[in-house]
Amino acid sequence: MAVVHQSCVGYGAEPFASLVADYPGDDVYPSADFRTEWGPVFHRGRLDGSARVLVLGQDPATHEAISRRILVGEAGQRVQGLLAKIGVHTAYAMVNVYLYSVFGQAAGSRHAKDAAIAAYRHRWLDALLVGTDVTAVVALGDLAATAYAAWARTQPATAGSLHLAAIRHPTYAEGFARASGKPLAETTASQLANWNDHLGDLAAHVTPEGPTDLTPYAATWGPTDLAPIPEVDLPPGAPAWWRDVDAWATRTGDDKQTKRATISVVVPKGARTWPAL
Ligand code: URA
């Protein structure tokens, strides 16, 4: 029997049709600080009212620039694993603080309070949170926590009814190890301890779609802690390896210009199923 594929149905219904029709460009997101040349990446997950959890990430990276959905690479697979623990497999929606990939670490903080960036983001958050079945928000990292707090001030009634899990960003450990010189093992253990701190409360505020497994994270990532991205989350025809844990998109180039202009996409070894050449 033919395989029946699932795919993201996109942005046909309002208010999402309008949101993707009039997104902010370089006038709001300066290209010195954002990789606007790769276009905006809007969301991942359910826009049909079936979401129970909203994940607020930071900004899209290489895998997201290619797949046109957010939180698809390593960070996304870690979040997917967290949601799986609380029994949520597809009943979520995800948006980022920024539509475009941040260029340079400091740029993210520099624009944390930009009114025009926030105004557009608030339209998405209103659409996904006000009068919907979402009961909990997972904010990934400090920028997401700040952005959520700014939105919450505009919608105090809705925000007051939502559980907020403001957890460390899924790639906090790598970033903090690089910045501080601390061993990655130490920063990873600290990140996972932080996620453990939030796991029980988060689970208590979300109706699961299936069984939960609230086994705490160990001090390091375990083999089942990352989960692949569901097929239904990606645009039609997306190759299966886009959803796998193996990385497949990296910025390459010998100088800054080339590196900003280039994302190399390589089919992971495990997905090279063609006959031997
Ligand atoms: N990819 C995203 O889309 N968001 C993040 O926060 C990290 C990676």
Side-chain angles (χ1 to χ4, degrees), residues 58 74-75 78 105 140-142 167-180 182-195 221:
Q58 187 179 300
E74 177 113 18
R78 289 177 179 176
Q105 281 306 312
L140 307 178
D142 293 341
I167 64 173
R168 292 216 167 125
H169 189 272
T171 55
Y172 160 91
E174 285 79 1
F176 190 50
R178 252 192 323 270
S180 66
K182 287 189 188 218
L184 181 59
E186 191 182 317
T187 58
T188 300
S190 141
Q191 170 176 336
L192 292 173
N194 169 268
W195 283 26
W221 294 104

Side-chain angles (χ1 to χ4, degrees), residues 41 56-62 64 69-76 79 95-98 140 169-171:
V41 192
L56 183 56
Q58 187 179 300
D59 68 307
T62 52
E64 291 79 17
R69 293 295 181 272
I70 71 161
L71 287 161
V72 166
E74 177 113 18
V79 173
V95 288
N96 277 328
V97 171
Y98 296 124
L140 307 178
H169 189 272
T171 55

Side-chain angles (χ1 to χ4, degrees), residues 7-268:
S7 55
C8 176
V9 293
Y11 306 100
E14 291 294 353
F16 306 104
S18 296
L19 279 166
V20 301
D22 69 354
Y23 60 82
D26 289 39
D27 51 332
V28 169
Y29 280 92
S31 58
D33 285 341
F34 294 97
R35 303 173 195 269
T36 51
E37 64 278 9
W38 291 96
V41 192
F42 296 104
H43 102 295
R44 176 158 76 81
R46 313 285 76 72
L47 300 180
D48 61 358
S50 62
R52 299 168 190 187
V53 181
L54 177 95
V55 177
L56 183 56
Q58 187 179 300
D59 68 307
T62 52
H63 294 80
E64 291 79 17
I66 304 298
S67 68
R68 311 313 298 172
R69 293 295 181 272
I70 71 161
L71 287 161
V72 166
E74 177 113 18
Q77 314 239 352
R78 289 177 179 176
V79 173
Q80 202 71 33
L82 175 70
L83 294 175
K85 277 181 178 285
I86 63 161
V88 171
H89 301 284
T90 55
Y92 48 73
M94 305 183 184
V95 288
N96 277 328
V97 171
Y98 296 124
L99 278 184
Y100 301 93
S101 181
V102 165
F103 185 67
Q105 281 306 312
S109 314
R110 220 170 7 250
H111 296 278
K113 303 226 160 105
D114 283 14
I117 291 179
Y120 180 79
R121 184 173 59 232
H122 289 178
R123 288 171 59 196
W124 273 90
L125 293 175
D126 285 350
L128 294 168
L129 295 175
V130 179
T132 70
D133 290 343
V134 170
T135 54
V137 173
V138 182
L140 307 178
D142 293 341
L143 288 171
T146 302
Y148 179 75
W151 171 83
R153 284 193 290 276
T154 69
Q155 296 284 2
T158 303
S161 70
L162 291 167
H163 173 73
L164 172 64
I167 64 173
R168 292 216 167 125
H169 189 272
T171 55
Y172 160 91
E174 285 79 1
F176 190 50
R178 252 192 323 270
S180 66
K182 287 189 188 218
L184 181 59
E186 191 182 317
T187 58
T188 300
S190 141
Q191 170 176 336
L192 292 173
N194 169 268
W195 283 26
N196 282 336
D197 287 345
H198 291 275
L199 199 52
D201 250 7
L202 179 60
H205 287 88
V206 176
T207 307
E209 298 173 84
T212 59
D213 176 3
L214 299 179
T215 312
Y217 290 96
T220 183
W221 294 104
T224 58
D225 288 341
L226 276 68
I229 309 302
E231 186 177 44
V232 69
D233 282 13
L234 292 191
W241 47 269
W242 281 13
R243 303 186 281 110
D244 273 355
V245 275
D246 289 335
W248 48 265
T250 43
R251 296 190 203 281
T252 53
D254 292 336
D255 56 82
K256 273 190 165 178
Q257 276 295 329
T258 316
K259 204 164 176 185
R260 179 160 173 167
T262 314
I263 294 176
S264 297
V265 175
V266 178
V267 180

